[in-house]
Amino acid sequence: MSADAEKTFDIVILGGGSGGYACALRGAELGLSVALVEKSKLGGTCLHQGCIPTKALLHAAEVADSAREGEKFGVKSTFESVDMSGVHRYKDGVVSHLHKGLQGLVKGKAIEYVEGEGRLVAPDTVEVGGRRLTGRNVVLATGSYAKSLPGLEVSGRVMTSEQALEIDFVPPRVVVLGGGVIGVEFASVFKSFGSEVTIVEALPRLVAAEDESVSKQLERSFRKRKIAFRTGVRFEGATQNGDTVTVSLEGGDTIEADLLLVAVGRGPVTDGLGYEEAGVRLDRGYVVADERCRTGVPGVFAVGDIVPGLQLAHRGFAQGIFVAEEIAGLSPAPVDDLGIPRVTYCDPEIASVGLTEAQAREKYGDVEVFEYNLGGNGRSQILQTQGFVKLVREKDGPVVGVHMIGARMGEQVGEAQLIYNWEALPSDVANLVHAHPTQNEALGEAHMALAGKPLHVHA
Ligand SMILES: Cc1cc2nc3c(=O)[nH]c(=O)nc-3n(C[C@H](O)[C@H](O)[C@H](O)COP(=O)(O)OP(=O)(O)OC[C@H]3O[C@@H](n4cnc5c(N)ncnc54)[C@H](O)[C@@H]3O)c2cc1C
């Protein structure tokens, strides 16, 4: 071995997003030597183009709605306009604060942070800028990119979430292609900012991965907010003419817009990175990994959006931490996708964990369901929001699904995920005291009702 040869790390991580950096931090905490390779900004999609900036926009949207709706609460306020440069200043300030904090964390943990585009050149080696980083273990965490549809070029007024996060104007008319999480969140923002919004979704309902009753409530709420949507209809094409886009739908309808937001899902970043050459199996571009995040190539793990399943930052964190602990020999319990809480931050918010009613019926046959209407929840009435908490339990068994919709209901997902993951019975939760008046009470009341002792429930 020559004097200047690189040491062998315990873990070399390719990609510094949620999955990669969580693995690096936990690995270092456990005393492992770690190299973390990132070609762009530490923090990845979530911090720079995903969770954080979009939620900042959604908060600005809520402020705009509050100004608009003051009268409803006896407050004389008027909504004037949205100053996008001010919105960006606020959003970028939040991102930059968190980015600095994260950089400090990584520095403080003596992680070897390597800037540059890496490539897997052998099962134990990542090459970056001519430097070869060798690890006893390699973790692939290269994340995802915004997809488009065949023949639909992203340019000009046709954007994905990445460009839409940076626009310096409020488009008068927006078409959102895709009624999934990212689509409905942006639709919600644009509507609050003053745009006329139409969502186009090929599936029969908005947020189709959620419980059907949640989709119905969201559609009711969006109708009330005058967010238009066309479900069960296919997009055929789009043409740009100056600053306008004409969107054509199957059946011959067209919609004119000033912006077409393409939100049709995210694909894995795995192309040309040497994964297959190193023996890692890909399926439609995704890395095939088992429940212990193993790729099948000894010592090579994969975490986050490149692994099929929920594309959520906290899944990436959990898998990254899992892999670090696995490498350190702690034999952690695998991450169960069903136990991962899901929140969609549009107005009204959606939060869920576990099985939908349809999935539970398929799995257990006989299930019990209860829907607690937020009409009976004091705090929700104070906020003037509508929605519900829906519980799905195995017949005479534990709660296997919690589905919530209503303003701010995302905040209730913490207790919901404890209930699901601890396999609580409705009677266990019914005995816990929930503070009054909180929206959290709605969760308590739903369990009381399912346990046969309803309180604020009309027969
Ligand atoms: C608009 C939007 C909103 C979202 N909102 C939420 C939300 O509210 N809550 C939530 O949980 N999730 C949300 N997500 C999803 C979340 O951002 C992702 O699930 C999460 O970022 C995945 O983490 P990851 O580590 O797998 O990948 P990423 O965060 O994509 O990180 C991968 C990193 O790898 C780097 N990389 C790629 N290739 C190379 C290479 N060859 N060499 C070096 N570095 C490389 C990239 O630059 C990137 O930094 C949102 C996503 C989007 C797009």
Side-chain angles (χ1 to χ4, degrees):
M1 192 163 116
S2 70
D4 60 354
E6 291 253 12
K7 69 173 186 180
T8 298
F9 291 91
D10 290 319
I11 320 180
V12 174
I13 303 166
L14 186 54
S18 311
Y21 83 69
C23 185
L25 291 173
R26 184 67 182 131
E29 216 171 271
L30 290 167
L32 303 173
S33 57
V34 178
L36 177 61
V37 182
E38 171 55 54
K39 68 173 178 183
S40 179
K41 286 184 185 160
L42 179 64
T45 306
C46 169
L47 180 52
H48 301 283
Q49 286 121 19
C51 326
I52 300 299
T54 53
K55 267 78 257 181
L57 289 188
L58 278 152
H59 183 65
E62 189 184 332
V63 173
D65 285 335
S66 296
R68 216 179 253 123
E69 293 165 3
E71 200 74 46
K72 209 158 94 180
F73 304 93
V75 176
K76 289 202 177 300
S77 63
T78 46
F79 170 75
E80 205 174 297
S81 64
V82 170
D83 162 26
M84 284 310 289
S85 60
V87 170
H88 290 312
R89 216 170 19 253
Y90 149 66
K91 162 180 78 67
D92 297 343
V94 175
V95 170
S96 140
H97 172 82
L98 292 171
H99 186 210
K100 281 199 189 98
L102 183 59
Q103 286 172 310
L105 274 179
V106 166
K107 231 186 215 147
K109 286 264 179 358
I111 291 163
E112 176 90 12
Y113 184 66
V114 184
E115 280 178 290
E117 186 158 357
R119 199 171 178 279
L120 193 66
V121 292
D124 64 351
T125 309
V126 168
E127 191 175 276
V128 46
R131 185 174 168 192
R132 288 170 77 88
L133 300 161
T134 302
R136 276 176 273 279
N137 300 278
V138 171
V139 179
L140 311 176
T142 40
S144 61
Y145 67 94
K147 288 198 292 195
S148 185
L149 294 177
L152 179 58
E153 194 199 329
V154 173
S155 69
R157 294 296 179 108
V158 179
M159 304 182 182
T160 68
S161 58
E162 204 172 318
Q163 297 83 38
L165 274 170
E166 302 301 331
I167 53 171
D168 58 3
F169 62 101
V170 176
R173 300 161 304 170
V174 180
V175 170
V176 176
L177 188 54
V181 175
I182 294 176
V184 299
E185 287 188 351
F186 270 97
S188 196
V189 168
F190 281 127
K191 180 66 194 178
S192 301
F193 281 3
S195 310
E196 194 183 290
V197 179
T198 308
I199 305 171
V200 174
E201 168 60 61
L203 293 172
R205 56 190 172 99
L206 298 180
V207 289
E210 295 290 342
D211 191 275
E212 207 170 330
S213 55
V214 167
S215 298
K216 278 203 184 112
Q217 178 64 36
L218 180 70
E219 291 175 3
R220 264 196 299 274
S221 302
F222 271 14
R223 259 184 225 111
K224 241 174 124 182
R225 290 188 63 197
K226 299 199 166 33
I227 296 175
F229 52 90
R230 303 277 306 266
T231 49
V233 60
R234 284 187 178 280
F235 163 89
E236 283 216 319
T239 48
Q240 292 196 58
N241 190 353
D243 283 346
T244 59
V245 192
T246 306
V247 179
S248 321
L249 306 179
E250 116 194 295
D253 282 0
T254 57
I255 314 174
E256 284 259 306
D258 307 285
L259 191 156
L260 171 61
L261 176 75
V262 185
V264 293
R266 295 183 62 83
V269 175
T270 52
D271 224 22
L273 297 181
Y275 293 179
E276 277 181 301
E277 294 85 330
V280 173
R281 199 154 70 79
L282 301 185
D283 179 17
R284 280 162 290 167
Y286 287 94
V287 175
V288 178
D290 67 8
E291 61 161 15
R292 304 199 78 77
C293 301
R294 294 177 296 208
T295 62
V297 177
V300 181
F301 297 83
V303 299
D305 282 7
I306 56 169
V307 180
L310 292 171
Q311 290 178 320
L312 291 172
H314 42 288
R315 173 176 176 262
F317 294 148
Q319 289 181 334
I321 292 167
F322 170 88
V323 167
E325 294 184 350
E326 181 83 338
I327 290 169
L330 302 185
S331 303
V335 179
D336 165 23
D337 258 23
L338 266 180
I340 294 175
R342 311 170 288 255
V343 180
T344 304
Y345 299 81
C346 53
D347 178 26
E349 281 185 356
I350 297 167
S352 62
V353 62
L355 300 168
T356 64
E357 182 180 343
Q359 290 167 335
R361 286 198 186 283
E362 205 177 312
K363 182 164 178 192
Y364 299 108
D366 210 0
V367 298
E368 288 173 83
V369 171
F370 183 80
E371 211 173 282
Y372 181 81
N373 195 303
L374 294 183
N377 175 254
R379 192 63 188 269
S380 298
Q381 291 316 294
I382 291 164
L383 296 172
Q384 295 276 283
T385 188
Q386 274 115 45
F388 57 78
V389 172
K390 175 175 173 174
L391 303 180
V392 184
R393 81 182 291 202
E394 193 185 339
K395 178 93 179 127
D396 298 325
V399 174
V400 295
V402 182
H403 307 277
M404 303 178 282
I405 181 165
R408 302 188 187 177
M409 288 306 283
E411 299 302 327
Q412 304 311 320
V413 86
E415 185 179 6
Q417 66 120 342
L418 288 181
I419 291 167
Y420 173 86
N421 285 298
W422 275 343
E423 301 178 6
L425 293 169
S427 52
D428 296 330
V429 185
N431 284 340
L432 301 172
V433 179
H434 293 76
H436 177 75
T438 60
Q439 288 184 291
N440 185 236
E441 263 184 308
L443 255 180
E445 294 239 15
H447 285 85
M448 285 167 78
L450 205 49
K453 45 188 261 191
L455 184 61
H456 298 100
V457 177
H458 294 280

